[in-house]
Amino acid sequence: MVVYTQEHVYRHPWDRVTAAAWRKFTDPASRTSLTHVADLHTLQRRVDTEAGRLHAARSITVRSPPLPFILRRLLPAAAASSSGAAICHCVETSVVDAPRRAMDVVVRNVSLRGIIEVEERSSFRPHPDRPDDWTQFRQETTIRCRPLAKLAAVAEKVETRCAERFLQNSAKGREVVERICRYLEAEAAGAAPSAV
C-alpha cells in the first residue's frame, strides 16, 4: 500500500478556490490539461439550509495510464483498451460547509476494485496565517493493489507507478484551479478575459 500527502497554498480566498475547484472538470479549457478525465456526471446534490451545507456526489470516469501486462490480464474486457489503459469509474462525494468555510472531498474508485483500490481525501480551509486571503489545500491518497498484495515487490512497483501518475494529475489539477481562480479574480474586478 502506498499513502502520500500533498499540501498546497492557494493565494486566493476560500470562496474563490472552492468555486474554481467545482469548475475544474467542467471548464472547457481544462480538457487539454486533464486528459485522463473522460466523463463527469452529478449524481446527487442536496443543500442542508439549516446547517448551511452542500452535499454532492459526482461520477467521474477516468482513463488510466498504460497498465503493466500482469494487471491487463486481470482486467475485464470492457475495462481494457488496445493501448493498455483502463477505464475506471469513481465516485466523488463532497461536503461544503459555508459557515465554517470548509470543503471536504473524497474520491474512490468503484470499478476495478478487485485489482486496485484508490481513495483520495482532499480538504480546503482558510489558511491559518491569512484566512481572508489564502486557502490551505491538503490531499491524502491511498493506493492498494489487491491481487498482488501477496507479491509485495510487484505490488509496490504497481502502487508506486500509480502514485507517480496521481501526483502528476494532481499537479495538473492544481494548475487548472489556479488558472480558474485568476479568471474569477479578474471577473470580480470587472476585467475578465474572454477565455477561462
Side-chain angles (χ1 to χ4, degrees):
M1 176 169 30
V2 172
V3 179
Y4 65 89
T5 302
Q6 301 179 83
E7 293 193 6
H8 180 73
V9 175
Y10 290 102
R11 293 175 181 251
H12 298 276
W14 178 86
D15 57 334
R16 184 180 303 143
V17 173
T18 54
W22 278 108
R23 292 184 182 188
K24 178 172 74 171
F25 296 127
T26 59
D27 174 49
S30 300
R31 291 188 186 118
T32 57
S33 299
L34 304 177
T35 56
H36 64 289
V37 178
D39 202 11
L40 175 77
H41 294 281
T42 299
L43 303 172
Q44 177 185 13
R45 189 174 34 222
R46 175 178 62 85
V47 176
D48 179 344
T49 54
E50 288 183 23
R53 288 190 196 112
L54 167 67
H55 299 264
R58 301 193 294 182
S59 165
I60 305 171
T61 302
V62 296
R63 291 179 209 84
S64 77
L67 297 173
F69 177 76
I70 192 165
L71 282 184
R72 279 186 265 167
R73 300 288 300 182
L74 299 172
L75 285 177
S81 73
S82 58
S83 68
I87 298 297
C88 184
H89 303 286
C90 304
V91 172
E92 173 194 83
T93 55
S94 304
V95 177
V96 182
D97 188 332
R100 285 186 37 240
R101 296 192 329 170
M103 180 169 150
D104 295 303
V105 181
V106 178
V107 180
R108 290 184 183 97
N109 64 306
V110 293
S111 67
L112 307 180
R113 289 186 66 80
I115 298 172
I116 194 160
E117 293 178 358
V118 178
E119 180 179 274
E120 181 182 274
R121 294 182 169 274
S122 303
S123 65
F124 298 82
R125 302 284 189 278
H127 192 278
D129 297 336
R130 302 205 40 198
D132 293 329
D133 302 317
W134 294 354
T135 303
Q136 179 73 44
F137 170 74
R138 185 174 195 279
Q139 182 178 62
E140 182 178 289
T141 305
T142 304
I143 302 168
R144 190 172 96 153
C145 187
R146 292 184 56 87
L148 302 177
K150 291 187 168 87
L151 303 170
V154 176
E156 185 177 341
K157 282 182 183 180
V158 170
E159 291 162 351
T160 300
R161 186 172 173 190
C162 289
E164 289 167 358
R165 181 55 70 124
F166 280 105
L167 286 166
Q168 291 169 359
N169 289 339
S170 293
K172 291 175 186 178
R174 284 191 305 275
E175 290 169 10
V176 167
V177 170
E178 288 281 5
R179 182 183 49 73
I180 295 171
C181 282
R182 288 189 301 274
Y183 172 81
L184 293 173
E185 182 178 36
E187 184 179 68
S194 58
V196 177

